[in-house]
Amino acid sequence: MVAYRSQQRGRGDLEQQVFAALAAGGRPMTTGEVRDAIGADLAYTTVMTVLARMQAKGLATRDRVGRSYAYTAVVDDAAVTAHQIHRLLDARGDRAAILTRFASGLSPEESRLLVDLLGADSEAGPA
């Protein structure tokens, strides 16, 4: 079984690790199975809380299995990462400074891709 652990987790890292374990499992997984896949250093209740929050955000579904729930990932890893970027932007004060720093670190190819994506988004009009 693959372990999805790190020595020191940053904010949002645990949610990504839980998501990765669900996605790699390829089937509905109980809280205990997810915890085992991530690493036994986590409390069962910690993993249960993360799974419940992911379900509330629409990132996972859950089905009753006996007295517990089995969870399934419903979005891909890119969507989870994008969600976390939005959360970080919401939590910080100066979006322009953060986005400027981010954009300055992009490669020329990534910059072109971002410009193309933004152009396609603006051509589509408001949602």
Side-chain angles (χ1 to χ4, degrees), residues 32-95:
E33 291 170 330
V34 172
R35 185 180 138 233
D36 290 346
I38 293 171
D41 61 325
L42 292 171
Y44 180 91
T45 54
T46 299
V47 177
M48 184 174 60
T49 299
V50 171
L51 287 166
R53 288 179 180 165
M54 289 176 62
Q55 190 267 331
K57 292 177 189 178
L59 301 175
T61 59
R62 70 180 184 186
D63 294 303
R64 178 78 67 189
V65 176
R67 293 178 22 198
S68 187
Y69 289 102
Y71 294 83
T72 306
V74 294
V75 295
D76 63 16
D77 193 41
V80 171
T81 302
H83 171 75
Q84 290 178 339
I85 291 169
H86 283 284
R87 268 192 18 225
L88 287 171
L89 286 171
D90 290 343
R92 304 294 190 259
D94 191 349
R95 284 175 170 255

Side-chain angles (χ1 to χ4, degrees), residues 6 8-15:
S6 66
Q8 186 175 8
R9 291 179 179 91
R11 285 186 3 194
D13 288 348
L14 182 54
E15 187 175 275

Side-chain angles (χ1 to χ4, degrees), residues 4-32:
Y4 297 93
R5 70 166 59 171
S6 66
Q7 297 295 47
Q8 186 175 8
R9 291 179 179 91
R11 285 186 3 194
D13 288 348
L14 182 54
E15 187 175 275
Q16 278 191 318
Q17 291 172 346
V18 168
F19 179 82
L22 283 176
R27 61 175 178 74
M29 296 174 70
T30 65
T31 301

